Amino acid sequence: MGQTIGFSFVDLVEGVKDGHFYALKRILCHDREGRQEAQTEVEMHQMFNHPNVLSLVAHAFVDHGAKTEAWLLLPYMRKGSLWSVLEKLRDKGSSMPEKQILQIFRGICSGLKAIHDKGYAHRDIKPTNVLLDEDDRPVLMDLGSMNRARIEVRGSREAMTIQDWAAQRCTISYRAPELFNVESHCIIDERTDIWSLGCVLYCMMMLEGPYDLIFQKGDSVALAVQNPVSIPPSCRYSEGLQMLLSSIMVSNPQERPNINWVLDQVQDLQSRSPNTQTNMV
């Protein structure tokens, strides 16, 4: 029933009073640092009240002798993750209509904008961290890796610390190029999320992440992300959507757009698509 995510378990529970279903995430805190991390995750949830960022219904810290568990009660999304939806499409030999891609992607961007507007970055955007409700409303989850958007790296020791942290917390095939080899004097900002967002868009179009196969084959993702992403010639989506993908997945973070620009482009594509009426929000 419970699925293990690092040191956490997620169970489906039913509310006695309201009959609603919830996801109960139990995080095992092995030490004070672990407890602090769980506390931070709780605080990150509490910072947002946005339809595209997963809300926290309630939380508690439960002590078992020396060990502590953090319990986070979260809304249960029946459709599951974006990844599970894409996997089902792939198994059927089907694909996601462009209109649906744009609708879901726009929601993901709105949630990310809310996070960036508060001066934070998510740092682990990927299809398994996007939940979908019945109406295809996407919700960003797993706020445990979030931190301040702007990280100033001063010196090689700090660079290594960030690099090690990224290796643990930022999923390899969705990790931005600048996190593989962190430079000694640089600024890492929220545009690491924009790269990951591009990987998610690619995944919605191709039903697999751009670097999933490279990782599975055991080849170097660090090397692969230095080159512009290649869109397979067989891609059937509009030129506009393909251009959006290419403009998001830019290896140099300085040339990568910010979330407002991406959101503008998505809305522009939505207004240009054939059945405009249904796209009006």
Side-chain angles (χ1 to χ4, degrees):
M1 176 86 173
Q3 142 203 32
T4 310
I5 309 169
F7 293 112
S8 62
F9 304 88
V10 180
D11 292 302
L12 179 64
V13 295
E14 190 175 354
V16 177
K17 291 208 173 87
D18 60 10
H20 287 256
F21 284 103
Y22 296 96
L24 178 65
K25 180 175 181 177
R26 293 181 296 133
I27 306 168
L28 314 180
C29 311
H30 293 291
D31 49 23
R32 183 178 294 171
E33 192 185 345
R35 190 188 164 110
Q36 185 49 56
E37 279 188 12
Q39 180 62 38
T40 303
E41 188 166 340
V42 166
E43 286 165 12
M44 291 298 162
H45 276 287
Q46 291 170 334
M47 208 188 310
F48 300 99
N49 178 15
H50 191 278
N52 302 112
V53 181
L54 192 64
S55 56
L56 183 63
V57 181
H59 76 281
F61 283 92
V62 184
D63 292 315
H64 302 288
K67 285 217 170 80
T68 302
E69 280 189 14
W71 289 20
L72 278 60
L73 193 63
L74 305 156
Y76 170 66
M77 301 278 173
R78 206 170 294 273
K79 250 190 176 175
S81 72
L82 172 60
W83 176 249
S84 61
V85 170
L86 295 174
E87 253 184 337
K88 284 190 188 105
L89 286 171
R90 198 174 58 200
D91 293 344
K92 284 196 310 201
S94 181
S95 61
M96 193 178 271
E98 181 154 334
K99 194 178 144 193
Q100 190 185 12
I101 288 182
L102 285 169
Q103 186 197 337
I104 293 173
F105 192 63
R106 180 178 178 171
I108 295 171
C109 290
S110 298
L112 198 52
K113 176 175 159 58
I115 290 172
H116 289 183
D117 283 352
K118 283 218 157 71
Y120 283 84
H122 184 286
R123 308 283 185 212
D124 200 18
I125 298 283
K126 55 180 176 177
T128 47
N129 277 343
V130 177
L131 296 173
L132 292 173
D133 75 1
E134 310 286 61
D135 305 323
D136 272 348
R137 172 177 60 104
V139 179
L140 296 177
M141 63 164 260
D142 202 3
L143 309 185
S145 298
M146 270 176 62
N147 56 19
R148 297 298 304 180
R150 202 182 151 90
I151 301 170
E152 285 190 47
V153 181
R154 295 180 288 258
S156 54
R157 186 178 295 172
E158 281 188 22
M160 275 317 293
T161 304
I162 299 288
Q163 202 171 299
D164 290 345
W165 173 84
Q168 284 181 306
R169 303 306 289 262
C170 314
T171 304
I172 189 164
S173 49
Y174 291 84
R175 191 185 307 158
E178 62 271 24
L179 292 173
F180 282 97
N181 295 300
V182 179
E183 292 172 28
S184 299
H185 292 277
C186 69
I187 289 171
I188 302 281
D189 67 21
E190 70 279 9
R191 283 177 293 185
T192 58
D193 285 344
I194 303 293
W195 174 269
S196 309
L197 190 63
C199 294
V200 170
L201 178 57
Y202 183 104
C203 197
M204 290 167 78
M205 293 163 70
M206 316 299 171
L207 304 183
E208 63 188 14
Y211 302 102
D212 288 354
L213 286 176
I214 291 169
F215 175 61
Q216 283 157 18
K217 281 198 312 215
D219 291 342
S220 168
V221 177
L223 216 56
V225 296
Q226 297 304 327
N227 303 314
V229 71
S230 56
I231 301 173
S234 59
C235 178
R236 295 199 308 275
Y237 294 105
S238 73
E239 202 182 327
L241 192 58
Q242 293 190 39
M243 277 174 62
L244 175 62
L245 178 60
S246 300
S247 57
I248 296 175
M249 296 202 66
V250 179
S251 295
N252 181 351
Q254 260 50 63
E255 294 168 15
R256 209 177 294 147
N258 64 21
I259 193 63
N260 295 324
W261 184 88
V262 178
L263 205 45
D264 283 347
Q265 299 299 312
V266 176
Q267 289 165 344
D268 190 42
L269 282 175
Q270 280 186 315
S271 64
R272 272 194 286 168
S273 61
N275 31 9
T276 319
Q277 276 62 45
T278 49
N279 279 330
M280 290 306 194
V281 173

